Amino acid sequence: MENRMLKDENDRVDGVFKVTGKAKYFAEYELPGLTYGVLVTSTITKGKITTLDTKAAEKAPGVISVLSHLNKPSAPGYEQDGGSPMKIFYTDKIFYNGQPIAMVVANTFERATYAASLVKATYAKEEFNTNFDKAVADSKSKKLQGQPDYKRGVENAYKTAEVKIEEKYHLPIETHNPMELHGIIADWRPNNQLTVYAKTQGVKATQGTIANVFKIPVENIQVNSEFVGGGFGMALRTWPVEIATVMASKHIGKPVKLVITRMQMFTMVGNRPAAIQTIGLGANKDGKLTGITHRAFGETSVYENFTEGVVNMAKFMYQCDNVNTQYTVVPVDLGVPIWMRGPGEATGAFALESAIDEMAHALDMDPLEFRIKNDPERDQQRSLPFSDKNIKEAYRVGAQKIGWNERKNKPGSLIDGQLKTGYGVSIGVFNANRGRASVKGILKADGSLVLQSATSDIGPGTGTGMTLIASKLMKIPADKITFELGDSSLPPAPSQGGSATLSTVGSAVNDVCVALKSTIAELAANSNMDATANFVDVLKKNNLPSIEIMKQSQAGKEREAYSMYSFSIHFVKVKVHSLTGVVKVDKIVSVGDSGTIVSPKTARSQMVGGAVGGVGMALTEESIIDHRYGRYINNNFADYHVPVNADIPEIEVHFINKPDPYINPMGAKGMGEIALIGFSAAVANAVFNATGKRIRSLPITPDKILADS
Amino acid sequence: MINFQYLRTTTSKSALALLSKDKAAKFLAGGTNLIDLMKRGVTTPEKLIDINHVPLKQIELKGDTIIIGALASNTAVAEHALIKEKLPLLANALNAGASAQLRNVATVGGNMMQRTRCGYFYDTEMPCNKRQPGSGCGAIGGFNRMHAIFGTSEKCIAVHPSDMCVALIALDATVVLANQKGERKILFKDFHRLAGDTPQLDNNLKTDEMIIRLEIPINNLAKNSHYLKVRDRASYAFALVSVAAALEISDHKITDVRLAMGGVAHKPWRLTASENFLKGKEASTANFELAAKLAMTDAKGFGENDFKLQMAPNSIIEALTLAKSKA
């Protein structure tokens, strides 16, 4: 990789690459002899394939092969029993509508697309259910899976409280829909050597999954994923369609590229699961919480289970002696979900933070004051002190910036013509993770530093953050530092997920830099140089072109002594049109409390992106299925409404920017998730404040505003 | 997508000659809808006749009539000084549609010809009488949040997706069509059809015809006009409901009024009864409310779109109020 020029220390190291088109994404690699795979998908929702006619497709121009369960291309791991039954080309079972049943490989994408339209399947259909609400209603008699129930103090204490609320909240399926479509290029060569260009949040995870299915050593597999056009969680696993593409390459002995369609993005690479949640809150008349009960049902598939942390936040976010939670997953005949930004916590926070607002209203208290009153000093769930928490300061900063003093506690108080103004607040929280990663540092006599780790950058600016950590420690200008990532041959690092990369890989960068400095100091001392001598001079004096150090870094006992979280406070001002029901977000202030801010520009971008995603979650995004057919009805960018520029107002981002003393050497905590978690509730709370209408079902579309009046 | 033949022509005469040889051929203008339909297998023409180089892009004033060529781009029309000055309702409606990128290539004729955005129409695995007559209507009893409340049939409740056409029907436009024998004129209000028993037919364009131009009479409605589009997001979303409202007010009395709606019917929906009610009356909120109520006389919801029964009259009131309040 070229050394990436920095304009100032705030700029993204890959910014110029991205805006000039030099950043190369997986689908842009042109390998000699590249072929193109196009998937044929099931048109029924449940049953079995009875016949599959591939003859016409095989005879179509340019077609090299049609792969299906009829010819079962070799994948030793799939031949074993166990694991997920979703094995493309190894099953005639249909688990959901849109499931891949065959792949046509041709010498151009267009020819493969045409030939795929010629493949005809017949099915033995079975009864199915894709309706999550119905599945939950019918679920009482079935054995369900989920996570262990949690109880602290008295169960359902809210029921006997002086003031109580109990409400139900609905979230639809959301689809990640990053701009970049999913897919992979697989190049299987003789002697079981494989190179893939992937869209992945973890090159090592992709490498491991493929090795496991094809039973070849990981060393045989090279995974490249230098640039990723958005992941939001959907690229956290190696999907069956990727395995199918590797199978295809192995089968035909040529590189195969698969890029799925926007419609297929709804059915092959996961979604944020639908959820139905009930929250019960109890408080005394003084506004102290006396009971929290959070029960949630999450959507999963029939062929694999998916669980996430929907009810986590209720256990520690507020001071309350009596808390009980329950989380259950209920299967429907759809593709398996996967984490989507903020994962379960974003789902749970919509319900909890809406309910907190409802309770404040029931108490006739300012919801900000109510939150401050119930802010815990310690983590009651784990009986530990928080490592670092500055929520009260964050509340103050955000309230001042949004103009909270303009807010009236009585809903519907601010009316100008047909427009009603309202203010809402919510909190977001996510575990401040730190995993284990290795980084290699190569310090060169030409004054440059190369850092290497098999981590990923799905967009947050990993390379920029790492470069800034090293630059500060080494006192080397950022433009002399190169951070290499997205390559499975580099020192191992975990997948980019759970807001952990900066903390995990950054700590290893820190450790490498500390080690490099101490080596330089030793060399300086040994060659009678001043301890503060420049490393270039030290290396030259020692006739060393470079020195190389690799360090593995991970958390220690501090995680047993402290409870570590990142926090965010979202303030939203909305204007709601009383005749049309249209909600316009007028201003957003998000305050991050996530330790030291290592890279101000990319940190701000994270918060801005989270707010935009939050507007979508709150107001526009919903994947709609016709349950009579089990098929998505709005599976395109015209009808699945992600927010557009015109939906997004001024977004102000502020950071507390105080180091967490315990988490890692930088004192920095993750931010990707907290940027979104809770945001949708701030919008719903603002809508309530504007109109007096409490919308408990996302997204808050104009029809819901009108229906509730 | 299937293989197709691509032909290009530079005159309307040769375009019509090519069309006459193959009635299954289709004209390609901006292609912003047709290409999508081809990719989805909804439309499978064997021949595309590219008419983008046919000189039908004029935007001009002739006497008391504004002429707009069928191949003028949506952007060219919306940004034209003549349109902004004389027909701001049309400019506003155009700018409410699609996205800037789409408007740059989409044409006036293509906008008139665009097909419904009903999800059942687009998915060849689902029933749709418009796509495949006799297969049933998926939207009735299914996802019909975006669907029609006026002039529906048991066969189809799809809506026409255009914003531009809502303004054009309000502006009393005339469409000039041509076949190889010559030109004919048809009132814009008669161009599109209700679904009835033939939902596969969106309009009355004959298979040997092409759209040549629009003729729009000059009016006194420019000062007090408003196009209101209510939608799920602020841009690049089809209307839940839209209203084109234009008033000519003299001594507080309404001397001329135009009202039409989008997102509510299989064709742009002119509110003639409401217009007749308002003519000669005071431009007051009370009268706007009565006009809105009158507009809803024959409205019918299908479940998920029941909210339109409230959103539509509300939007009529709002559009009239905003039209009136323009200085």
Side-chain angles (χ1 to χ4, degrees), chain B residues 8 29 32 39 52 80 83 104 118 125 179 183 197-198 208 225 227 231 247 270 297 326:
Chain B
R8 184 188 282 182
T32 57
K39 283 184 177 172
N52 280 294
H80 200 284
I83 306 300
N104 285 342
C118 175
E125 297 302 328
N179 65 9
E183 293 187 349
D197 286 333
T198 52
D208 65 346
S225 72
Y227 187 76
R231 44 184 156 177
L247 296 162
R270 183 90 178 249
T297 308
K326 285 190 181 167

Side-chain angles (χ1 to χ4, degrees), chain A residues 43 61 113-114 117 263 418 577-582 584 619-620 624 626 628-629 631-644 646-647 701-703 706-707 709, chain B residues 1-3 40 117 119-120 123-127 137-143 145-146 228-238 240 304 307 310-311 314-315 317-318 322:
Chain A
T43 56
T113 301
Y114 172 63
S117 75
M263 286 166 67
Q418 298 296 347
H577 197 286
S578 39
L579 283 177
T580 63
V582 170
K584 171 78 186 144
L619 297 180
T620 58
I624 300 163
D626 185 324
R628 298 169 303 172
Y629 305 99
R631 289 176 74 81
Y632 283 94
I633 197 92
N634 66 334
N635 47 359
N636 61 73
F637 261 160
D639 298 318
Y640 181 90
H641 295 140
V642 297
V644 294
D647 295 303
T701 45
D703 47 318
L706 291 182
S709 58
Chain B
M1 200 192 266
I2 60 158
N3 287 331
R40 295 288 299 267
R117 294 298 312 202
Y120 299 92
D123 186 343
T124 54
E125 297 302 328
M126 302 245 232
C137 174
I140 295 174
F143 174 71
R145 181 171 174 270
M146 303 298 292
L228 174 71
K229 184 174 183 181
V230 183
R231 44 184 156 177
D232 285 324
R233 65 178 165 193
S235 174
Y236 193 50
F238 292 95
L240 294 166
E304 292 190 342
F307 70 92
Q310 187 182 354
M311 183 181 280
N314 283 2
S315 301
I317 296 163
E318 176 71 356
L322 291 171

Side-chain angles (χ1 to χ4, degrees), chain A residues 6 85 111 132 174-175 177 183 211 242 282 289 320 371 409 442 452 457 468 500 510 560 594 598 673 701:
Chain A
L6 291 184
R111 285 173 154 178
F132 180 65
E174 267 192 282
T175 304
N177 273 320
E242 295 168 75
L289 280 165
C320 186
R371 281 179 174 80
N409 216 31
I442 306 156
Q452 300 175 322
D457 185 357
L468 292 174
N510 176 88
E560 291 162 28
S594 56
V598 166
E673 324 295 339
T701 45

Side-chain angles (χ1 to χ4, degrees), chain A residues 131-185:
Chain A
N131 184 337
F132 180 65
D133 288 9
K134 184 175 180 293
V136 170
D138 294 348
S139 67
K140 291 191 179 87
S141 57
K142 291 183 201 159
K143 189 169 178 283
L144 300 165
Q145 291 179 297
Q147 289 161 349
D149 293 354
Y150 173 81
K151 194 179 84 171
R152 173 166 86 232
V154 180
E155 191 170 336
N156 298 334
Y158 76 95
K159 287 188 173 173
T160 54
E162 287 177 8
V163 182
K164 65 172 174 177
I165 61 146
E166 186 189 321
E167 296 295 349
K168 208 174 205 182
Y169 303 86
H170 287 252
L171 273 99
I173 290 174
E174 267 192 282
T175 304
H176 304 66
N177 273 320
M179 253 199 291
E180 184 190 36
L181 298 166
H182 201 68
I184 192 167
I185 295 175

